[in-house]
């Protein structure tokens, strides 16, 4: 099943059954999660055009969700410089060495495509243009990066036990002396798309060439906010003697410290992830333990996939709610400042250019217990209202109906009770404390439903 892992098989007796066992059906939970999203969160997204915010100005992912993402398997993304062993590591984990579908490897830059390795009934390759056109998959948004990119996207399906539970994505290596324009598509934007959807991110390095340049610095800026999903792989570790490896390990952290601004650094795995035996006179036992720890880490991500989806959608709902509250405050301020003789364009330009003068952001913090760290940048709303006229939005109090209730009520119910309740139902006895309280989630004043008697 995993022929390439034979050198650590004696120590994997408890890990491999977990990686390949059939999970209990989560179909009812997924259906309920989809229902909560479509009934409580998506209407607010659409009403206030949440996905039109500039994504790079927001701390977190700004986008509408697809059904395919809710039902998809966990995604493991491999990033890093060229020829550090990303493709070799995938070949090793899946046992693809010497098979017709092994990923091509070499000392020179070899992977020029984004390769998605996923489960299928038979082994076959799929062109990127077909993947993007298939509505049953979650890759249709990739069409926005153009046909030049879709020619560099390829999918590989195969009937593999591990791929029944996880999807791997191999990426082109970062080349420090190559300009993004030379690739013919927006490489960093494509990387960001996969980063936003990855459950686990392996950033791989070769200990013999720790070149941290501008391209790699840009990559780590894109990883900001995803630190909990990052794992650093110091691959090909048996190429160095133990003493040299210790020096390289310290040099790696010294180089990455300015790029990863968190109190707890990411987990680092030190080994050689390929099907060959370790070089003599190296730390063989350490490398074996590191491989086992990595597989246990991968298994933990797979086991927690449903909990992670619920937590992600809840976090997404909180951001959508904050955006709606801000747009509502802009709308209310605009109406308050307008008079019979006012020029609407000048009035709103004054509000958008200096929202602090009108206490727009402070009023949200004061009334709703929203964390200031969750607020979008003010400049994001200058762009947002530049393409979305203020007159196209209703106030939250007007987003109510007799039969459907209020949009704000629905999203707050989803955040404070429905999603935590769903989490408890699939993981009994481990309900996160405080998720059902408005104090923790930042619930504020609810708009009065004009169509319902009190």
């Amino acid at each position: 099943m995993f022929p390439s892992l034979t050198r650590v098989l004696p120590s994997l007796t408890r890990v491999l059954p977990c990686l390949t066992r059939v999970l209990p059906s989560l179909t009812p939970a997924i259906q309920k999660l989809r229902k909560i999203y479509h009934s409580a969160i998506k209407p607010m997204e659409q009403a206030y055009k949440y996905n039109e915010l500039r994504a790079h100005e927001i701390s977190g992912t700004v986008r509408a969700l697809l059904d395919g993402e809710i039902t998809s398997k966990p995604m493991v993304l491999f990033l890093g410089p060229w020829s550090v062993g990303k493709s070799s590591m995938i070949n090793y984990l899946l046992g693809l060495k010497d098979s017709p579908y092994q990923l091509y490897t070499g000392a020179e830059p070899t992977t020029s495509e984004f390769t998605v390795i996923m489960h299928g009934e038979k082994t076959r390759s799929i062109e990127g243009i077909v993947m993007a056109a298939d509505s049953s998959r979650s890759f249709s948004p990739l069409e926005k990066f153009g046909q030049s990119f879709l020619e560099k996207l390829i999918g590989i399906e195969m009937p593999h036990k591990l791929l029944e539970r996880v999807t791997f994505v191999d990426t082109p290596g970062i080349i420090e002396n190559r300009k993004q324009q030379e690739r013919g598509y927006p490489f960093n934007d494509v990387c960001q798309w996969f980063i936003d959807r990855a459950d686990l991110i392996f950033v791989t390095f070769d200990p013999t060439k720790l070149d941290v340049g501008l391209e790699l610095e840009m990559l780590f800026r894109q990883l900001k906010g995803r630190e909990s999903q990052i794992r650093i792989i110091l691959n090909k570790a048996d190429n160095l003697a133990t003493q040299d490896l210790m020096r390289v390990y310290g040099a790696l952290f010294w180089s990455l410290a300015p790029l990863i601004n968190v109190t707890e650094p990411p987990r680092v795995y030190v080994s050689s992830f390929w099907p060959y035996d370790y070089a003599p006179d190296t730390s063989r036992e350490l490398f074996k333990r590191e491989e086992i720890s990595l597989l246990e880490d991968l298994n933990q991500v797979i086991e927690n996939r449903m909990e992670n989806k619920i937590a992600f959608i809840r976090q997404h709902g909180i951001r959508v709610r904050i955006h709606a509250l801000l747009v509502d405050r802009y709308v209310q301020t605009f109406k308050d400042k307008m008079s019979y003789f006012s020029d609407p364009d000048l009035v709103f330009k004054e509000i958008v250019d200096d929202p602090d003068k009108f206490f727009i952001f402070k009023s949200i913090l004061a009334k709703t217990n929203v964390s200031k760290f969750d607020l979008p940048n003010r400049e994001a709303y200058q762009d947002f209202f530049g393409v979305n006229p203020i007159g196209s939005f209703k106030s939250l109090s007007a987003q109510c109906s007799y039969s459907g209730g209020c949009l704000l009520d629905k999203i707050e119910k989803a955040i404070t009770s429905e999603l935590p309740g769903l989490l408890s139902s699939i993981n009994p006895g481990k309900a996160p404390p405080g998720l059902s309280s408005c104090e923790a989630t930042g619930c504020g004043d609810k708009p009065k439903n004009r169509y319902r008697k009190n």
Side-chain angles (χ1 to χ4, degrees), residues 314 318 321 368-370 412 415-416 420 434-443:
R314 182 175 178 276
I318 290 173
R321 174 181 166 274
T368 61
N369 286 328
V370 174
E412 288 183 349
I415 292 168
T416 59
L435 284 191
S436 60
S437 69
C438 283
E439 185 67 26
T441 57
C443 296

Side-chain angles (χ1 to χ4, degrees), residues 81-82 174 176-177 205-206 208-214 216 255:
W82 60 275
I174 295 170
E176 292 296 342
N177 60 358
F205 291 93
D206 183 333
T208 63
K209 48 182 182 183
L210 294 180
D211 182 17
V212 180
L214 293 177
L216 202 57
S255 301

Side-chain angles (χ1 to χ4, degrees), residues 107-147:
E108 75 284 356
T110 55
T111 303
S112 61
E113 297 94 8
F114 283 80
T115 308
V116 181
I117 304 100
M118 48 198 163
H119 183 263
E121 296 300 321
K122 60 181 181 180
T123 302
R124 62 172 185 150
S125 61
I126 308 172
E127 296 297 326
I129 191 170
V130 177
M131 292 174 62
D134 188 349
S135 59
S136 65
R137 305 180 189 274
S138 58
F139 301 105
S140 56
L142 288 171
E143 285 186 308
K144 67 182 180 181
F145 298 118
Q147 295 301 309

Side-chain angles (χ1 to χ4, degrees), residues 7-23:
R7 68 186 181 197
V8 293
L9 275 177
S11 304
L12 283 176
T13 53
R14 77 177 186 277
V15 181
L16 286 182
C18 293
L19 279 172
T20 59
R21 73 179 178 88
V22 178
L23 288 175

